[in-house]
Amino acid sequence: MTVPIVIDCDPGHDDAMAILLALASPELEVRALTTVAGNQTLDKTTRNALVVLEVAGRTDIPVAAGADAPLRRELHTAAHVHGVSGLDGPELPEVSQRPVDAHAADFLAEVIEPGVVLVPTGPLTNVALMLQRHPDARPDRIVWMGGAIAEGNITPAAEFNAYVDPEACALVFASGIPITMIGLDVTHKALFTRAHADRLRGAGRAGTFVAELSDFFQLFHERSYRFDGSPIHDAVAVAQVIDPTLVETRHANVAVETASDFCDGRTVVDLRGVTQREANADVGLDIDAPRFLELLVERIASLA
Ligand code: RIB
Ligand code: CA
Protein backbone atom coordinates (compact mmCIF):
# COMPACT_ATOMS: atom_id res chain seq x y z
CA MET A 1 0.00 0.00 0.00
CA THR A 2 1.41 3.43 -0.97
CA VAL A 3 1.94 5.80 1.96
CA PRO A 4 1.07 9.47 1.26
CA ILE A 5 3.66 11.81 2.72
CA VAL A 6 4.31 15.53 3.01
CA ILE A 7 7.90 16.69 3.56
CA ASP A 8 8.45 19.92 5.51
CA CYS A 9 12.04 20.80 4.72
CA ASP A 10 14.91 23.30 4.70
CA PRO A 11 17.00 22.20 1.68
CA GLY A 12 19.89 21.68 2.46
CA HIS A 13 21.91 18.91 0.86
CA ASP A 14 20.43 16.06 2.86
CA ASP A 15 16.90 17.43 2.51
CA ALA A 16 17.41 17.38 -1.26
CA MET A 17 18.56 13.77 -1.19
CA ALA A 18 15.64 12.85 1.08
CA ILE A 19 13.16 14.39 -1.37
CA LEU A 20 14.74 12.55 -4.31
CA LEU A 21 14.66 9.26 -2.38
CA ALA A 22 10.97 9.79 -1.66
CA LEU A 23 10.21 10.63 -5.30
CA ALA A 24 12.06 7.51 -6.46
CA SER A 25 10.25 5.16 -4.07
CA PRO A 26 7.03 3.41 -5.15
CA GLU A 27 6.12 2.84 -1.49
CA LEU A 28 5.51 6.59 -1.09
CA GLU A 29 3.33 9.25 -2.71
CA VAL A 30 4.78 12.72 -2.18
CA ARG A 31 1.68 14.94 -1.91
CA ALA A 32 3.50 18.26 -1.28
CA LEU A 33 6.64 19.95 -0.02
CA THR A 34 6.56 22.78 2.53
CA THR A 35 9.59 24.89 3.35
CA VAL A 36 10.94 26.49 6.49
CA ALA A 37 13.93 28.67 7.33
CA GLY A 38 16.75 26.60 8.77
CA ASN A 39 19.80 25.55 6.80
CA GLN A 40 19.35 28.76 4.88
CA THR A 41 16.86 31.64 4.79
CA LEU A 42 13.32 30.87 3.66
CA ASP A 43 13.74 32.39 0.20
CA LYS A 44 16.69 30.05 -0.41
CA THR A 45 15.19 26.89 1.09
CA THR A 46 12.04 27.49 -0.96
CA ARG A 47 14.01 28.09 -4.17
CA ASN A 48 16.02 24.95 -3.38
CA ALA A 49 12.90 22.81 -2.92
CA LEU A 50 11.76 24.00 -6.36
CA VAL A 51 15.22 23.20 -7.76
CA VAL A 52 15.01 19.61 -6.50
CA LEU A 53 11.59 19.12 -8.10
CA GLU A 54 12.96 20.63 -11.35
CA VAL A 55 15.89 18.19 -11.32
CA ALA A 56 13.50 15.28 -10.66
CA GLY A 57 11.05 16.42 -13.33
CA ARG A 58 8.27 16.62 -10.74
CA THR A 59 7.13 20.21 -10.94
CA ASP A 60 3.59 18.83 -10.55
CA ILE A 61 4.17 18.60 -6.79
CA PRO A 62 3.04 21.77 -4.94
CA VAL A 63 5.45 23.70 -2.73
CA ALA A 64 4.28 26.07 0.04
CA ALA A 65 6.68 28.42 1.80
CA GLY A 66 6.33 28.81 5.56
CA ALA A 67 8.07 30.44 8.47
CA ASP A 68 11.04 32.70 7.82
CA ALA A 69 12.03 32.65 11.49
CA PRO A 70 11.53 30.49 14.61
CA LEU A 71 8.49 31.07 16.83
CA ARG A 72 10.34 33.31 19.29
CA ARG A 73 14.04 33.35 18.47
CA GLU A 74 16.46 34.78 15.96
CA LEU A 75 17.11 32.48 13.01
CA HIS A 76 20.36 30.51 12.95
CA THR A 77 21.33 29.15 9.54
CA ALA A 78 23.98 26.61 8.51
CA ALA A 79 25.88 28.22 5.66
CA HIS A 80 29.04 26.64 7.10
CA VAL A 81 27.55 23.27 6.14
CA HIS A 82 25.36 23.94 3.11
CA GLY A 83 26.97 27.04 1.60
CA VAL A 84 25.57 30.42 0.63
CA SER A 85 22.92 28.95 -1.69
CA GLY A 86 21.99 26.17 0.72
CA LEU A 87 22.75 23.68 -2.07
CA ASP A 88 26.36 24.56 -2.90
CA GLY A 89 28.19 22.18 -5.23
CA PRO A 90 26.15 21.57 -8.40
CA GLU A 91 25.05 24.29 -10.81
CA LEU A 92 21.44 25.00 -9.81
CA PRO A 93 18.93 25.07 -12.67
CA GLU A 94 16.41 27.86 -13.20
CA VAL A 95 13.04 26.90 -11.75
CA SER A 96 9.85 26.95 -13.83
CA GLN A 97 7.45 26.51 -10.90
CA ARG A 98 6.29 29.03 -8.28
CA PRO A 99 5.23 28.24 -4.72
CA VAL A 100 1.51 28.08 -4.03
CA ASP A 101 -0.08 31.22 -2.61
CA ALA A 102 -0.57 29.88 0.93
CA HIS A 103 1.55 29.79 4.08
CA ALA A 104 2.95 26.34 4.77
CA ALA A 105 1.22 26.16 8.17
CA ASP A 106 -2.15 26.58 6.42
CA PHE A 107 -1.25 24.44 3.41
CA LEU A 108 -0.17 21.61 5.71
CA ALA A 109 -3.63 21.71 7.31
CA GLU A 110 -5.16 21.47 3.84
CA VAL A 111 -3.12 18.49 2.64
CA ILE A 112 -3.00 16.53 5.89
CA GLU A 113 -5.77 13.96 5.91
CA PRO A 114 -6.16 10.46 7.37
CA GLY A 115 -3.27 8.24 6.32
CA VAL A 116 -0.80 11.04 5.62
CA VAL A 117 2.61 10.81 7.30
CA LEU A 118 4.31 14.16 7.89
CA VAL A 119 8.09 14.05 7.45
CA PRO A 120 9.69 17.23 8.81
CA THR A 121 13.39 17.45 8.00
CA GLY A 122 14.09 20.91 9.40
CA PRO A 123 13.15 23.05 12.40
CA LEU A 124 9.55 22.35 13.50
CA THR A 125 8.30 25.93 13.21
CA ASN A 126 5.75 25.23 10.44
CA VAL A 127 4.42 22.15 12.22
CA ALA A 128 3.98 24.08 15.47
CA LEU A 129 2.23 26.93 13.64
CA MET A 130 -0.08 24.41 11.93
CA LEU A 131 -1.04 22.92 15.30
CA GLN A 132 -1.64 26.40 16.76
CA ARG A 133 -3.69 27.67 13.79
CA HIS A 134 -5.49 24.41 12.94
CA PRO A 135 -5.78 22.21 16.08
CA ASP A 136 -7.75 19.59 14.14
CA ALA A 137 -5.00 19.10 11.55
CA ARG A 138 -3.30 16.04 13.02
CA PRO A 139 -1.23 13.74 10.78
CA ASP A 140 -1.41 10.01 11.48
CA ARG A 141 2.28 10.09 12.31
CA ILE A 142 5.28 12.43 12.26
CA VAL A 143 8.70 11.08 11.34
CA TRP A 144 11.12 13.88 12.15
CA MET A 145 14.81 14.09 11.43
CA GLY A 146 16.15 15.91 14.45
CA GLY A 147 17.33 15.72 18.01
CA ALA A 148 19.97 13.54 19.59
CA ILE A 149 20.19 11.18 22.55
CA ALA A 150 23.87 11.92 22.94
CA GLU A 151 26.03 14.73 21.50
CA GLY A 152 24.53 17.56 19.49
CA ASN A 153 26.03 19.06 16.35
CA ILE A 154 25.33 22.79 16.35
CA THR A 155 26.17 22.91 20.08
CA PRO A 156 27.54 20.11 22.25
CA ALA A 157 24.02 19.74 23.67
CA ALA A 158 21.69 20.28 20.73
CA GLU A 159 21.06 19.04 17.19
CA PHE A 160 20.48 21.83 14.63
CA ASN A 161 16.76 21.34 13.83
CA ALA A 162 15.86 21.29 17.53
CA TYR A 163 18.27 24.13 18.33
CA VAL A 164 16.86 26.55 15.75
CA ASP A 165 13.35 26.40 17.26
CA PRO A 166 13.24 24.67 20.66
CA GLU A 167 9.78 26.10 21.46
CA ALA A 168 8.32 24.62 18.29
CA CYS A 169 10.03 21.33 19.03
CA ALA A 170 8.65 21.20 22.58
CA LEU A 171 5.14 22.00 21.31
CA VAL A 172 5.22 19.18 18.74
CA PHE A 173 6.51 16.61 21.24
CA ALA A 174 3.71 17.66 23.65
CA SER A 175 1.01 17.38 20.96
CA GLY A 176 0.23 13.70 21.47
CA ILE A 177 0.73 13.00 17.76
CA PRO A 178 2.68 9.74 17.30
CA ILE A 179 6.23 10.85 16.47
CA THR A 180 9.33 8.98 15.45
CA MET A 181 12.55 10.87 16.21
CA ILE A 182 15.42 10.13 13.82
CA GLY A 183 18.36 11.74 15.61
CA LEU A 184 22.07 12.07 15.13
CA ASP A 185 22.71 8.84 17.07
CA VAL A 186 21.22 7.00 14.10
CA THR A 187 22.20 9.20 11.16
CA HIS A 188 25.88 9.34 12.08
CA LYS A 189 26.05 5.55 11.78
CA ALA A 190 25.37 5.56 8.02
CA LEU A 191 27.96 7.55 6.06
CA PHE A 192 27.51 8.23 2.34
CA THR A 193 31.02 8.03 0.91
CA ARG A 194 32.73 9.12 -2.28
CA ALA A 195 32.30 5.54 -3.53
CA HIS A 196 28.52 5.92 -3.16
CA ALA A 197 28.69 9.28 -4.93
CA ASP A 198 30.78 7.83 -7.76
CA ARG A 199 28.11 5.18 -8.37
CA LEU A 200 25.65 8.02 -8.99
CA ARG A 201 27.93 10.32 -11.00
CA GLY A 202 26.65 10.07 -14.54
CA ALA A 203 23.59 8.03 -13.49
CA GLY A 204 21.10 10.46 -14.94
CA ARG A 205 20.43 14.09 -14.04
CA ALA A 206 19.39 13.35 -10.45
CA GLY A 207 22.30 10.98 -9.86
CA THR A 208 24.87 13.50 -11.07
CA PHE A 209 23.16 16.26 -9.05
CA VAL A 210 23.39 14.15 -5.88
CA ALA A 211 27.04 13.24 -6.52
CA GLU A 212 27.90 16.93 -6.81
CA LEU A 213 25.86 17.77 -3.69
CA SER A 214 27.75 15.04 -1.85
CA ASP A 215 31.15 16.36 -2.98
CA PHE A 216 30.37 19.68 -1.26
CA PHE A 217 28.54 18.24 1.77
CA GLN A 218 31.52 15.99 2.47
CA LEU A 219 33.83 19.01 3.02
CA PHE A 220 32.13 19.97 6.31
CA HIS A 221 32.08 16.41 7.62
CA GLU A 222 35.76 15.85 6.80
CA ARG A 223 36.70 19.15 8.47
CA SER A 224 34.47 18.95 11.52
CA TYR A 225 34.23 15.20 12.23
CA ARG A 226 37.11 13.69 10.23
CA PHE A 227 34.42 11.42 8.68
CA ASP A 228 35.23 9.67 5.38
CA GLY A 229 31.63 10.23 4.34
CA SER A 230 28.53 12.29 5.16
CA PRO A 231 25.47 11.39 7.22
CA ILE A 232 22.46 11.95 4.96
CA HIS A 233 20.34 12.79 7.99
CA ASP A 234 17.02 13.62 6.33
CA ALA A 235 17.06 10.65 3.96
CA VAL A 236 17.01 8.35 7.00
CA ALA A 237 13.64 9.79 8.03
CA VAL A 238 12.22 9.08 4.56
CA ALA A 239 13.80 5.61 4.53
CA GLN A 240 12.16 4.80 7.88
CA VAL A 241 8.75 5.44 6.31
CA ILE A 242 9.67 3.26 3.31
CA ASP A 243 10.94 0.42 5.50
CA PRO A 244 10.56 0.76 9.30
CA THR A 245 12.82 -2.28 9.80
CA LEU A 246 15.81 -0.13 8.76
CA VAL A 247 15.81 1.75 12.09
CA GLU A 248 15.62 0.29 15.60
CA THR A 249 13.53 2.51 17.87
CA ARG A 250 12.48 2.59 21.52
CA HIS A 251 9.33 4.19 22.95
CA ALA A 252 10.53 6.84 25.40
CA ASN A 253 9.88 10.27 26.78
CA VAL A 254 11.51 13.17 24.93
CA ALA A 255 11.57 16.56 26.64
CA VAL A 256 13.01 19.65 24.96
CA GLU A 257 15.12 22.22 26.81
CA THR A 258 13.99 25.80 26.15
CA ALA A 259 15.43 27.77 29.07
CA SER A 260 19.11 27.00 29.57
CA ASP A 261 22.38 28.86 29.18
CA PHE A 262 24.14 25.92 27.58
CA CYS A 263 21.53 23.34 26.56
CA ASP A 264 18.72 25.10 24.68
CA GLY A 265 17.30 22.74 22.04
CA ARG A 266 18.55 19.62 23.79
CA THR A 267 16.23 16.65 23.30
CA VAL A 268 16.34 14.97 26.70
CA VAL A 269 15.60 11.30 25.93
CA ASP A 270 14.62 9.20 28.96
CA LEU A 271 15.57 5.79 27.55
CA ARG A 272 15.28 3.95 30.91
CA GLY A 273 12.12 5.63 32.23
CA VAL A 274 13.86 7.17 35.23
CA THR A 275 11.82 10.39 35.17
CA GLN A 276 8.30 8.93 35.30
CA ARG A 277 7.50 11.27 32.37
CA GLU A 278 5.13 9.51 29.95
CA ALA A 279 6.73 8.12 26.78
CA ASN A 280 5.77 10.37 23.84
CA ALA A 281 8.01 9.26 20.97
CA ASP A 282 9.69 6.37 19.22
CA VAL A 283 13.36 7.29 19.34
CA GLY A 284 15.88 5.96 16.83
CA LEU A 285 18.66 3.90 18.43
CA ASP A 286 20.34 2.09 15.55
CA ILE A 287 20.25 1.67 11.77
CA ASP A 288 21.00 -1.08 9.24
CA ALA A 289 23.48 1.20 7.49
CA PRO A 290 24.40 -1.03 4.51
CA ARG A 291 20.74 -1.62 3.64
CA PHE A 292 19.88 2.07 4.01
CA LEU A 293 22.78 3.25 1.88
CA GLU A 294 22.05 0.66 -0.81
CA LEU A 295 18.40 1.74 -0.89
CA LEU A 296 19.43 5.40 -1.19
CA VAL A 297 21.90 4.82 -4.04
CA GLU A 298 19.71 2.39 -5.97
CA ARG A 299 16.56 4.52 -5.73
CA ILE A 300 18.28 7.77 -6.76
CA ALA A 301 20.04 5.96 -9.61
CA SER A 302 16.61 4.82 -10.81
CA LEU A 303 15.46 8.40 -11.38
CA ALA A 304 15.68 9.50 -15.01
O1 RIB B 1 21.25 18.34 12.19
C1 RIB B 1 20.99 17.90 10.88
C2 RIB B 1 19.70 18.48 10.40
O2 RIB B 1 19.78 19.91 10.38
C3 RIB B 1 19.39 18.08 8.94
O3 RIB B 1 18.01 18.10 8.75
C4 RIB B 1 20.03 19.18 8.16
O4 RIB B 1 19.45 19.31 6.86
C5 RIB B 1 19.69 20.37 9.02
O5 RIB B 1 18.37 20.78 8.72
CA1 CA C 1 17.11 19.50 6.93
Side-chain angles (χ1 to χ4, degrees), residues 271-284:
L271 286 182
R272 293 178 293 113
V274 298
T275 67
Q276 312 309 317
R277 287 195 293 262
E278 191 180 336
N280 60 351
D282 293 308
V283 179

mmCIF file with all atom_site columns, all heavy atoms in Angstrom, residues 271-284:
data_model
loop_
_atom_site.group_PDB
_atom_site.id
_atom_site.type_symbol
_atom_site.label_atom_id
_atom_site.label_alt_id
_atom_site.label_comp_id
_atom_site.label_asym_id
_atom_site.label_entity_id
_atom_site.label_seq_id
_atom_site.pdbx_PDB_ins_code
_atom_site.Cartn_x
_atom_site.Cartn_y
_atom_site.Cartn_z
_atom_site.occupancy
_atom_site.B_iso_or_equiv
_atom_site.pdbx_formal_charge
_atom_site.auth_seq_id
_atom_site.auth_comp_id
_atom_site.auth_asym_id
_atom_site.auth_atom_id
_atom_site.pdbx_PDB_model_num
ATOM 1   N N   . LEU A 1 271 ? 15.613 7.142  28.110 1.00 0.00 ? 271 LEU A N   1
ATOM 2   C CA  . LEU A 1 271 ? 15.569 5.785  27.554 1.00 0.00 ? 271 LEU A CA  1
ATOM 3   C C   . LEU A 1 271 ? 15.171 4.739  28.598 1.00 0.00 ? 271 LEU A C   1
ATOM 4   O O   . LEU A 1 271 ? 14.576 3.723  28.271 1.00 0.00 ? 271 LEU A O   1
ATOM 5   C CB  . LEU A 1 271 ? 16.949 5.405  26.967 1.00 0.00 ? 271 LEU A CB  1
ATOM 6   C CG  . LEU A 1 271 ? 17.339 6.048  25.639 1.00 0.00 ? 271 LEU A CG  1
ATOM 7   C CD1 . LEU A 1 271 ? 18.705 5.523  25.203 1.00 0.00 ? 271 LEU A CD1 1
ATOM 8   C CD2 . LEU A 1 271 ? 16.298 5.776  24.556 1.00 0.00 ? 271 LEU A CD2 1
ATOM 9   N N   . ARG A 1 272 ? 15.505 4.999  29.896 1.00 0.00 ? 272 ARG A N   1
ATOM 10  C CA  . ARG A 1 272 ? 15.276 3.949  30.906 1.00 0.00 ? 272 ARG A CA  1
ATOM 11  C C   . ARG A 1 272 ? 14.080 4.271  31.776 1.00 0.00 ? 272 ARG A C   1
ATOM 12  O O   . ARG A 1 272 ? 13.825 3.644  32.792 1.00 0.00 ? 272 ARG A O   1
ATOM 13  C CB  . ARG A 1 272 ? 16.551 3.767  31.750 1.00 0.00 ? 272 ARG A CB  1
ATOM 14  C CG  . ARG A 1 272 ? 17.743 3.195  30.941 1.00 0.00 ? 272 ARG A CG  1
ATOM 15  C CD  . ARG A 1 272 ? 18.995 3.072  31.798 1.00 0.00 ? 272 ARG A CD  1
ATOM 16  N NE  . ARG A 1 272 ? 19.486 4.392  32.180 1.00 0.00 ? 272 ARG A NE  1
ATOM 17  C CZ  . ARG A 1 272 ? 19.489 4.863  33.424 1.00 0.00 ? 272 ARG A CZ  1
ATOM 18  N NH1 . ARG A 1 272 ? 18.992 4.126  34.411 1.00 0.00 ? 272 ARG A NH1 1
ATOM 19  N NH2 . ARG A 1 272 ? 19.940 6.078  33.687 1.00 0.00 ? 272 ARG A NH2 1
ATOM 20  N N   . GLY A 1 273 ? 13.317 5.336  31.440 1.00 0.00 ? 273 GLY A N   1
ATOM 21  C CA  . GLY A 1 273 ? 12.115 5.635  32.228 1.00 0.00 ? 273 GLY A CA  1
ATOM 22  C C   . GLY A 1 273 ? 12.403 6.085  33.646 1.00 0.00 ? 273 GLY A C   1
ATOM 23  O O   . GLY A 1 273 ? 11.626 5.821  34.566 1.00 0.00 ? 273 GLY A O   1
ATOM 24  N N   . VAL A 1 274 ? 13.487 6.769  33.855 1.00 0.00 ? 274 VAL A N   1
ATOM 25  C CA  . VAL A 1 274 ? 13.859 7.166  35.228 1.00 0.00 ? 274 VAL A CA  1
ATOM 26  C C   . VAL A 1 274 ? 13.120 8.423  35.694 1.00 0.00 ? 274 VAL A C   1
ATOM 27  O O   . VAL A 1 274 ? 13.118 8.758  36.870 1.00 0.00 ? 274 VAL A O   1
ATOM 28  C CB  . VAL A 1 274 ? 15.390 7.396  35.338 1.00 0.00 ? 274 VAL A CB  1
ATOM 29  C CG1 . VAL A 1 274 ? 16.152 6.116  35.032 1.00 0.00 ? 274 VAL A CG1 1
ATOM 30  C CG2 . VAL A 1 274 ? 15.835 8.512  34.394 1.00 0.00 ? 274 VAL A CG2 1
ATOM 31  N N   . THR A 1 275 ? 12.442 9.114  34.774 1.00 0.00 ? 275 THR A N   1
ATOM 32  C CA  . THR A 1 275 ? 11.822 10.392 35.168 1.00 0.00 ? 275 THR A CA  1
ATOM 33  C C   . THR A 1 275 ? 10.335 10.240 35.460 1.00 0.00 ? 275 THR A C   1
ATOM 34  O O   . THR A 1 275 ? 9.689  11.182 35.862 1.00 0.00 ? 275 THR A O   1
ATOM 35  C CB  . THR A 1 275 ? 11.942 11.415 34.018 1.00 0.00 ? 275 THR A CB  1
ATOM 36  O OG1 . THR A 1 275 ? 11.117 10.931 32.922 1.00 0.00 ? 275 THR A OG1 1
ATOM 37  C CG2 . THR A 1 275 ? 13.364 11.595 33.552 1.00 0.00 ? 275 THR A CG2 1
ATOM 38  N N   . GLN A 1 276 ? 9.763  9.116  35.182 1.00 0.00 ? 276 GLN A N   1
ATOM 39  C CA  . GLN A 1 276 ? 8.296  8.929  35.302 1.00 0.00 ? 276 GLN A CA  1
ATOM 40  C C   . GLN A 1 276 ? 7.520  9.763  34.276 1.00 0.00 ? 276 GLN A C   1
ATOM 41  O O   . GLN A 1 276 ? 6.301  9.761  34.266 1.00 0.00 ? 276 GLN A O   1
ATOM 42  C CB  . GLN A 1 276 ? 7.795  9.311  36.717 1.00 0.00 ? 276 GLN A CB  1
ATOM 43  C CG  . GLN A 1 276 ? 8.607  8.722  37.865 1.00 0.00 ? 276 GLN A CG  1
ATOM 44  C CD  . GLN A 1 276 ? 8.792  7.205  37.725 1.00 0.00 ? 276 GLN A CD  1
ATOM 45  O OE1 . GLN A 1 276 ? 7.855  6.513  37.382 1.00 0.00 ? 276 GLN A OE1 1
ATOM 46  N NE2 . GLN A 1 276 ? 10.016 6.734  37.968 1.00 0.00 ? 276 GLN A NE2 1
ATOM 47  N N   . ARG A 1 277 ? 8.224  10.539 33.425 1.00 0.00 ? 277 ARG A N   1
ATOM 48  C CA  . ARG A 1 277 ? 7.505  11.266 32.368 1.00 0.00 ? 277 ARG A CA  1
ATOM 49  C C   . ARG A 1 277 ? 6.985  10.249 31.340 1.00 0.00 ? 277 ARG A C   1
ATOM 50  O O   . ARG A 1 277 ? 7.685  9.302  30.992 1.00 0.00 ? 277 ARG A O   1
ATOM 51  C CB  . ARG A 1 277 ? 8.425  12.276 31.680 1.00 0.00 ? 277 ARG A CB  1
ATOM 52  C CG  . ARG A 1 277 ? 8.749  13.510 32.518 1.00 0.00 ? 277 ARG A CG  1
ATOM 53  C CD  . ARG A 1 277 ? 9.341  14.620 31.668 1.00 0.00 ? 277 ARG A CD  1
ATOM 54  N NE  . ARG A 1 277 ? 10.665 14.284 31.149 1.00 0.00 ? 277 ARG A NE  1
ATOM 55  C CZ  . ARG A 1 277 ? 11.818 14.693 31.728 1.00 0.00 ? 277 ARG A CZ  1
ATOM 56  N NH1 . ARG A 1 277 ? 11.769 15.382 32.867 1.00 0.00 ? 277 ARG A NH1 1
ATOM 57  N NH2 . ARG A 1 277 ? 12.990 14.380 31.207 1.00 0.00 ? 277 ARG A NH2 1
ATOM 58  N N   . GLU A 1 278 ? 5.741  10.477 30.864 1.00 0.00 ? 278 GLU A N   1
ATOM 59  C CA  . GLU A 1 278 ? 5.127  9.506  29.950 1.00 0.00 ? 278 GLU A CA  1
ATOM 60  C C   . GLU A 1 278 ? 5.881  9.458  28.613 1.00 0.00 ? 278 GLU A C   1
ATOM 61  O O   . GLU A 1 278 ? 6.235  10.514 28.065 1.00 0.00 ? 278 GLU A O   1
ATOM 62  C CB  . GLU A 1 278 ? 3.670  9.917  29.707 1.00 0.00 ? 278 GLU A CB  1
ATOM 63  C CG  . GLU A 1 278 ? 2.825  8.856  28.989 1.00 0.00 ? 278 GLU A CG  1
ATOM 64  C CD  . GLU A 1 278 ? 1.379  9.351  28.791 1.00 0.00 ? 278 GLU A CD  1
ATOM 65  O OE1 . GLU A 1 278 ? 0.949  10.230 29.571 1.00 0.00 ? 278 GLU A OE1 1
ATOM 66  O OE2 . GLU A 1 278 ? 0.733  8.877  27.836 1.00 0.00 ? 278 GLU A OE2 1
ATOM 67  N N   . ALA A 1 279 ? 6.088  8.265  28.100 1.00 0.00 ? 279 ALA A N   1
ATOM 68  C CA  . ALA A 1 279 ? 6.730  8.123  26.780 1.00 0.00 ? 279 ALA A CA  1
ATOM 69  C C   . ALA A 1 279 ? 5.870  8.825  25.729 1.00 0.00 ? 279 ALA A C   1
ATOM 70  O O   . ALA A 1 279 ? 4.639  8.703  25.720 1.00 0.00 ? 279 ALA A O   1
ATOM 71  C CB  . ALA A 1 279 ? 6.893  6.654  26.447 1.00 0.00 ? 279 ALA A CB  1
ATOM 72  N N   . ASN A 1 280 ? 6.524  9.597  24.859 1.00 0.00 ? 280 ASN A N   1
ATOM 73  C CA  . ASN A 1 280 ? 5.775  10.372 23.843 1.00 0.00 ? 280 ASN A CA  1
ATOM 74  C C   . ASN A 1 280 ? 6.372  10.277 22.448 1.00 0.00 ? 280 ASN A C   1
ATOM 75  O O   . ASN A 1 280 ? 5.989  11.033 21.547 1.00 0.00 ? 280 ASN A O   1
ATOM 76  C CB  . ASN A 1 280 ? 5.706  11.848 24.259 1.00 0.00 ? 280 ASN A CB  1
ATOM 77  C CG  . ASN A 1 280 ? 7.112  12.448 24.396 1.00 0.00 ? 280 ASN A CG  1
ATOM 78  O OD1 . ASN A 1 280 ? 8.103  11.726 24.342 1.00 0.00 ? 280 ASN A OD1 1
ATOM 79  N ND2 . ASN A 1 280 ? 7.185  13.748 24.570 1.00 0.00 ? 280 ASN A ND2 1
ATOM 80  N N   . ALA A 1 281 ? 7.363  9.360  22.297 1.00 0.00 ? 281 ALA A N   1
ATOM 81  C CA  . ALA A 1 281 ? 8.009  9.258  20.974 1.00 0.00 ? 281 ALA A CA  1
ATOM 82  C C   . ALA A 1 281 ? 8.647  7.892  20.805 1.00 0.00 ? 281 ALA A C   1
ATOM 83  O O   . ALA A 1 281 ? 8.911  7.181  21.785 1.00 0.00 ? 281 ALA A O   1
ATOM 84  C CB  . ALA A 1 281 ? 9.082  10.342 20.842 1.00 0.00 ? 281 ALA A CB  1
ATOM 85  N N   . ASP A 1 282 ? 8.865  7.536  19.541 1.00 0.00 ? 282 ASP A N   1
ATOM 86  C CA  . ASP A 1 282 ? 9.692  6.368  19.222 1.00 0.00 ? 282 ASP A CA  1
ATOM 87  C C   . ASP A 1 282 ? 11.036 6.927  18.764 1.00 0.00 ? 282 ASP A C   1
ATOM 88  O O   . ASP A 1 282 ? 11.094 7.641  17.759 1.00 0.00 ? 282 ASP A O   1
ATOM 89  C CB  . ASP A 1 282 ? 9.054  5.525  18.120 1.00 0.00 ? 282 ASP A CB  1
ATOM 90  C CG  . ASP A 1 282 ? 7.764  4.877  18.610 1.00 0.00 ? 282 ASP A CG  1
ATOM 91  O OD1 . ASP A 1 282 ? 7.802  4.221  19.670 1.00 0.00 ? 282 ASP A OD1 1
ATOM 92  O OD2 . ASP A 1 282 ? 6.708  5.085  17.966 1.00 0.00 ? 282 ASP A OD2 1
ATOM 93  N N   . VAL A 1 283 ? 12.059 6.645  19.547 1.00 0.00 ? 283 VAL A N   1
ATOM 94  C CA  . VAL A 1 283 ? 13.357 7.287  19.337 1.00 0.00 ? 283 VAL A CA  1
ATOM 95  C C   . VAL A 1 283 ? 14.320 6.326  18.644 1.00 0.00 ? 283 VAL A C   1
ATOM 96  O O   . VAL A 1 283 ? 14.503 5.181  19.096 1.00 0.00 ? 283 VAL A O   1
ATOM 97  C CB  . VAL A 1 283 ? 13.955 7.738  20.683 1.00 0.00 ? 283 VAL A CB  1
ATOM 98  C CG1 . VAL A 1 283 ? 15.321 8.397  20.480 1.00 0.00 ? 283 VAL A CG1 1
ATOM 99  C CG2 . VAL A 1 283 ? 12.991 8.713  21.384 1.00 0.00 ? 283 VAL A CG2 1
ATOM 100 N N   . GLY A 1 284 ? 14.929 6.782  17.581 1.00 0.00 ? 284 GLY A N   1
ATOM 101 C CA  . GLY A 1 284 ? 15.883 5.957  16.835 1.00 0.00 ? 284 GLY A CA  1
ATOM 102 C C   . GLY A 1 284 ? 17.126 5.643  17.653 1.00 0.00 ? 284 GLY A C   1
ATOM 103 O O   . GLY A 1 284 ? 17.729 6.546  18.220 1.00 0.00 ? 284 GLY A O   1
#
